[in-house]
Amino acid sequence: MVLLLNEEQQLLKDSAEGFFETKAPVSELRRLRDDRSETGYNPALWQEMAEMGFAGLLVDENHGGLSFGYVGAGVLAEEIGKNLSASPFLASAVIAAPLISLLGTDDQKETLLPLLSGGEITATLAVDETGHHSPASSTLKAEAIAGGYKLSGMKTFVPEGATVDKIIVLARTPDKKGNEHGGFSLFIVDRGTKGLIVDPVVMADSRGWAKLTFEGVVVQESALLGKEGTALDALNVILEKANVVIAAELLGIAQHCLDKTVSYLKERKQFGVLIGSFQGLQHRAAKLFSEIEVTRSAILKALQSSDSPQGPGALSNIAKARACKTVELATNEAIQMHGGIGMTDEFDMGFYIKRARVLQNLYGDYNYHADQFARKSGY
Amino acid sequence: MSDLEKFRSETRVWLAENCPSLMRTPIQNDADTCWGGRKFVFQSDDQKLWLERMGAKGWTVPTWPKEYGGGGLTKAEAKVLSEEMQRIGARSPLSSFGIWMLGPALLEFGTEEQKLEHLPKIARGEIRWCQGYSEPNAGSDLASLATKAEDKGDHYCVTGQKIWTSYADKADWIFCLVRTDFSVSKHLGVSFVLFDMESKGVSTRPITLISGNSPFCETFFDSVMVPKENRVGAEGAGWTIAKYLLTHERASISDMFGTVSLSDLAVEKRGVEGGRLKDGMLRHQIAEHEIDRAAFLITLERAADEAKAGASLGAFSSMLKYYGTELNKDRNELVLKAAGSDAFEWEGQFSNNGELAKSWLRSKGNSIEGGTSEVQLNIISKRILDLPA
């Protein structure tokens, strides 16, 4: 497959560019932060995104989606990154809906997917329990009880966790051989369920995050998503692809940092000349450009393979690792090259570096993905 | 069966019948490489046969037009040919600056006579070319070159010195930048000429490098007579041709990684524990490098796809050259770390007779030749980011 956007994908990119720039620019995130918004995003924006089909981009047409695929999701994520547009797109459209599509029973799919695609409800995944992504270390327990399960334990770093309608939670259950702690299962839990304590967490990126405590939360058997004891592999399939979309959002952030910085270098004068004429700064900008372009290629290839039957595999790790490294360079260089103004809250660059670092950590940081890459390569 | 499928099966049959068995083994080092030319000494009958057979079909330059010795293949067919060659591990039949650099420039800027004269000989590996660009005081600042070409009516009289002329001592002809006008600004007075290295007044001297090998030469011109019909393009238009050609050179230099598998080497030398390379620091460094390299190779693929779709590579080739050569240096440093002291054996079996150390030392030149990394960054700054001078 050629490494170019096709006509349809290019059209989506063109419409997404204008949409996020006018409807959800970074000033909108600033407003949400200053107002201490409880949702962390503008529900009216999410409705509009849903009307444009963005909420159901990865859902098939029989369930109200567009079947547009991951290249499309990546195209949107990049524009979201450029503008820091806040919405449950990642949590609901990129992670929860594909998980339900992959594992759900006919009943679960028919009930939930049209609502998710239409933006009428939102959902998220609760997987991590410590500050480092490690699904296989999860301890939240699901005990089988008459007619269902009882969940006990906690989850942290849950995107949109305080506002979603449905939470897909990873829990320990017996594995295929019946070992009590050997397996993992996923459950769909309503946010308002008794015993589920939701603590919104204010984080550096001013977005909606939550800690969730499950104090003997009772769910029915029908809440089980997929086969009991076999969730890790399926979760991996979805997270590999989701990480590529996250990489695309980080790419958008990096690209914005470069664009802003280059235009600043062209207007700011010191010692009587434009600072963009200094070779020291030119070379740093040129290196950043190169890193971004190399990362862009890796992400496009990984997005394309996410749409293929075999999935992205190690390309997912390459894309996310490259994105983490590149966005770290881009945000750091943007602040440094802007000088003092880059450090002020009044200037928007701070929003970008804060969002970048939080997002870098979501579902595995650079080291996590480099380690995964090495394992998959056999060393 | 589609035309392309038919082409594939015919190609497969032809390669099976015509590619000699020795030519289906990996190229180990420079001595294994077939460069062709009048002075070339073939390493084996198979090497000679392979060049002749591929040259006769025009498949050393599959996409060049047939009238110029090419294969006349479409890009899709050339891709099939390359895939089928890879499938049986067939070597490239010919390495050639004529193919990589001069050929594309002649196809773009040459007269019909020049194309008919030179391109078929390049395609068949009969004439080996070298490039006369850099001079002692005109390396990164190439446009300052001072080799003088005086107008003598029907010919130029060329006097001056070139340096870093790769394989000048082995080449038959040179494509060369000369100054035909000293009165105009430095980019405007340069012309692009071709001449035989056996012309009276041409002499070369090898430069030994820190690697102990010597691909480079100093080349001297003492009143060399160059017929005017050997000028490519208009007088004074040499700079445009030189830049076009450098774009091709940069794109090819950026794609020159060694065949050593870093992780295999590290596993062999350091061992594995619990499925992981024993040396944790080295494992991290190799993973980081391999991730960057994979992303870079995908970028070469994207650049090729964009070029096929009609976009011009232009200054993007500077990015590829800068990035690829820096990565290659990084890779060679990691090879040393993985091999430990074995890597420094100048002669001996652990190092394949110094191949590791020589390749490491050679890589230091990658970010100097063909425009230094700093020059490439300048080009990116000015031509892509549009930063002020």
Side-chain angles (χ1 to χ4, degrees):
Chain A
M1 178 175 271
V2 293
L3 281 170
L4 304 168
L5 294 183
N6 66 28
E7 202 176 330
E8 239 183 344
Q9 291 156 353
Q10 189 59 48
L11 280 173
L12 178 71
K13 185 179 171 66
D14 295 343
S15 65
E17 256 172 18
F19 180 83
F20 290 109
E21 215 175 279
T22 49
K23 304 275 181 169
V26 62
S27 57
E28 179 64 7
L29 179 64
R30 179 185 290 278
R31 187 189 66 75
L32 290 164
R33 181 198 65 173
D34 292 348
D35 294 353
R36 300 188 71 86
S37 152
E38 275 180 29
T39 48
Y41 65 91
N42 178 356
L45 174 80
W46 181 236
Q47 278 314 308
E48 275 193 71
M49 287 173 71
E51 279 159 27
M52 292 179 76
F54 296 172
L57 212 60
L58 299 174
V59 173
D60 68 81
E61 285 153 24
N62 295 333
H63 293 102
L66 284 185
S67 289
F68 204 93
Y70 278 90
V71 175
V75 160
L76 284 194
E78 187 180 343
E79 299 309 317
I80 286 170
K82 284 181 189 166
N83 295 287
L84 298 186
S85 309
S87 81
F89 176 70
L90 185 62
S92 209
V94 176
I95 295 162
L99 257 180
I100 293 166
S101 296
L102 179 68
L103 294 176
T105 59
D106 287 348
D107 192 38
Q108 284 168 330
K109 288 198 265 195
E110 274 157 32
T111 318
L112 295 174
L113 290 178
L115 295 173
L116 285 169
S117 302
E120 289 155 74
I121 64 167
T122 57
T124 192
L125 170 71
V127 56
D128 289 324
E129 297 176 4
T130 72
H132 287 94
H133 179 62
S134 178
S137 314
S138 294
T139 62
L140 188 139
K141 193 172 64 179
E143 285 172 273
I145 56 169
Y149 296 87
K150 192 165 85 174
L151 308 174
S152 319
M154 63 83 67
K155 294 288 174 183
T156 189
F157 203 31
V158 182
E160 322 299 341
T163 52
V164 287
D165 302 288
K166 305 278 180 187
I167 294 153
I168 303 171
V169 61
L170 181 69
R172 285 262 180 196
T173 49
D175 66 13
K176 281 178 253 179
K177 293 172 190 158
N179 297 326
E180 193 61 28
H181 300 292
F184 290 94
S185 305
L186 291 163
F187 297 92
I188 306 174
V189 183
D190 288 339
R191 184 168 51 92
T193 308
K194 193 171 158 230
L196 173 56
I197 299 160
V198 176
D199 292 310
V201 181
V202 176
M203 294 194 45
D205 66 348
S206 310
R207 293 284 299 273
W209 298 92
K211 276 195 171 65
L212 307 178
T213 311
F214 293 75
E215 291 191 333
V217 172
V218 173
V219 293
Q220 293 188 321
E221 256 173 42
S222 60
L224 181 67
L225 180 62
K227 278 211 180 88
E228 187 188 282
T230 64
L232 270 193
D233 288 345
L235 189 62
N236 188 40
V237 168
I238 298 302
L239 284 185
E240 272 188 349
K241 297 178 183 185
N243 263 312
V244 184
V245 179
I246 294 171
E249 186 171 339
L250 291 171
L251 175 69
I253 294 177
Q255 185 67 53
H256 172 87
C257 289
L258 175 68
D259 293 345
K260 270 278 174 193
T261 303
V262 166
S263 52
Y264 185 69
L265 296 178
K266 288 180 195 171
E267 68 188 34
R268 171 74 168 161
K269 281 189 171 178
Q270 291 272 269
F271 309 105
V273 293
L274 294 170
I275 61 172
S277 65
F278 300 148
Q279 199 177 50
L281 297 184
Q282 288 181 347
H283 283 192
R284 279 162 54 190
K287 283 179 187 176
L288 180 54
F289 166 82
S290 306
E291 295 294 347
I292 288 174
E293 288 304 314
V294 171
T295 298
R296 178 180 298 287
S297 318
I299 291 172
L300 180 55
K301 180 110 177 165
L303 287 168
Q304 287 181 347
S305 57
S306 295
D307 284 324
S308 73
Q310 70 270 22
L315 277 168
S316 162
N317 307 116
I318 292 169
K320 179 75 186 294
R322 283 287 318 178
C324 287
K325 184 167 154 178
T326 304
V327 83
E328 196 161 307
L329 179 71
T331 49
N332 289 343
E333 285 288 63
I335 288 190
Q336 179 66 21
M337 288 200 250
H338 274 89
I341 190 180
M343 289 298 295
T344 63
D345 183 68
E346 189 191 341
F347 192 63
D348 290 330
M349 202 50 80
F351 284 85
Y352 285 86
I353 193 171
K354 287 184 272 194
R355 175 62 178 167
R357 288 302 180 282
V358 173
L359 208 53
Q360 280 167 249
N361 272 276
L362 187 61
Y363 309 131
D365 63 1
Y366 182 90
N367 289 353
Y368 176 89
H369 288 282
D371 176 64
Q372 290 286 317
F373 171 83
R375 280 169 191 272
K376 287 175 189 173
S377 311
Y379 62 93
Chain B
M1 201 190 310
S2 78
D3 288 352
L4 207 58
E5 284 166 30
K6 188 157 165 271
F7 177 76
R8 185 184 294 277
S9 67
E10 287 168 4
T11 302
R12 192 173 289 191
V13 170
W14 189 88
L15 287 172
E17 285 170 0
N18 288 281
C19 184
S21 56
L22 257 183
M23 294 298 105
R24 301 185 194 193
T25 57
I27 291 180
Q28 295 294 336
N29 51 46
D30 197 46
D32 255 3
T33 308
C34 178
W35 288 95
R38 296 192 295 237
K39 303 173 200 167
F40 189 71
V41 180
F42 287 96
Q43 298 293 300
S44 64
D45 291 343
D46 281 3
Q47 192 183 40
K48 184 161 182 283
L49 198 62
W50 183 223
L51 174 61
E52 283 169 1
R53 286 175 176 170
M54 287 291 274
K57 272 191 98 74
W59 281 5
T60 52
V61 281
T63 59
W64 288 11
K66 279 193 169 162
E67 63 265 38
Y68 305 136
L73 302 188
T74 63
K75 279 171 182 164
E77 288 168 338
K79 188 157 174 271
V80 167
L81 171 61
S82 146
E83 284 164 3
E84 288 304 314
M85 285 175 67
Q86 267 177 25
R87 208 177 55 82
I88 61 167
R91 290 184 183 184
S92 166
L94 180 63
S95 289
S96 156
F97 297 150
I99 293 176
W100 301 328
M101 299 191 272
L102 179 63
L106 278 182
L107 283 168
E108 183 78 14
F109 300 103
T111 62
E112 190 60 21
E113 291 73 25
Q114 287 169 338
K115 290 180 196 175
L116 288 170
E117 169 65 21
H118 297 295
L119 293 176
K121 292 178 188 167
I122 290 173
R124 294 192 298 264
E126 290 168 5
I127 292 294
R128 182 172 179 178
W129 288 83
C130 65
Q131 178 192 54
Y133 272 26
S134 293
E135 297 180 9
N137 290 310
S140 290
D141 183 14
L142 179 60
S144 309
L145 63 95
T147 291
K148 180 173 64 174
E150 283 175 279
D151 193 334
K152 299 284 185 188
D154 64 336
H155 70 276
Y156 294 108
C157 176
V158 175
T159 302
Q161 183 196 344
K162 295 286 173 184
I163 195 167
W164 309 121
T165 21
S166 304
Y167 302 110
D169 51 343
K170 300 187 171 75
D172 306 308
W173 275 63
I174 187 167
F175 50 97
C176 194
L177 288 177
V178 295
R179 189 164 296 285
T180 39
D181 191 345
F182 282 83
S183 65
V184 292
S185 81
K186 63 182 186 181
H187 290 93
L188 296 177
V190 174
S191 297
F192 190 96
V193 297
L194 317 172
F195 55 91
D196 194 319
M197 290 294 279
E198 283 178 7
S199 308
K200 191 167 167 287
V202 178
S203 58
T204 62
R205 196 158 62 97
I207 305 168
T208 305
L209 294 185
I210 50 179
S211 59
N213 292 337
S214 174
F216 295 114
C217 295
E218 289 179 287
T219 306
F220 304 90
F221 309 130
D222 180 12
S223 302
V224 180
M225 203 177 115
V226 178
K228 272 204 177 154
E229 63 260 31
N230 287 10
R231 189 189 66 227
V232 181
E235 191 169 278
W239 190 248
T240 310
I241 301 167
K243 270 199 311 187
Y244 178 84
L245 190 148
L246 279 174
T247 312
H248 283 267
E249 180 184 18
R250 280 168 192 157
S252 64
I253 286 181
S254 63
D255 184 19
M256 51 183 295
F257 294 105
T259 47
V260 179
S261 159
L262 257 182
S263 55
D264 287 356
L265 182 70
V267 166
E268 180 195 327
K269 299 281 184 183
R270 311 302 293 268
V272 173
E273 210 167 60
R276 294 185 183 200
L277 194 63
K278 251 184 188 168
D279 182 334
M281 291 291 281
L282 183 63
R283 178 175 186 266
H284 181 103
Q285 289 173 324
I286 290 177
E288 183 163 20
H289 172 83
E290 292 291 8
I291 285 169
D292 290 351
R293 177 170 177 260
F296 177 70
L297 293 177
I298 297 168
T299 305
L300 290 179
E301 192 185 328
R302 173 163 73 101
D305 288 342
E306 285 178 0
K308 275 180 216 156
S312 125
L313 197 55
F316 204 78
S317 68
S318 286
M319 190 281 271
L320 300 177
K321 200 274 176 181
Y322 153 72
Y323 210 94
T325 55
E326 293 297 328
L327 265 182
N328 196 35
K329 286 195 295 184
D330 182 33
R331 185 171 195 81
N332 275 280
E333 292 292 351
L334 279 172
V335 165
L336 299 193
K337 290 189 175 106
S341 63
D342 290 353
F344 299 102
E345 282 193 352
W346 209 246
E347 293 165 359
Q349 61 173 25
F350 283 139
S351 64
N352 187 17
N353 276 329
E355 217 28 68
L356 295 183
K358 284 169 188 170
S359 154
W360 161 65
L361 290 164
R362 176 65 187 89
S363 72
K364 299 302 173 197
N366 296 162
S367 50
I368 300 171
E369 63 209 348
T372 61
S373 286
E374 289 71 21
V375 164
Q376 309 306 335
L377 291 172
N378 286 347
I379 293 172
I380 296 168
S381 306
K382 304 281 185 336
R383 307 241 312 268
I384 297 179
L385 301 179
D386 195 28
L387 287 169

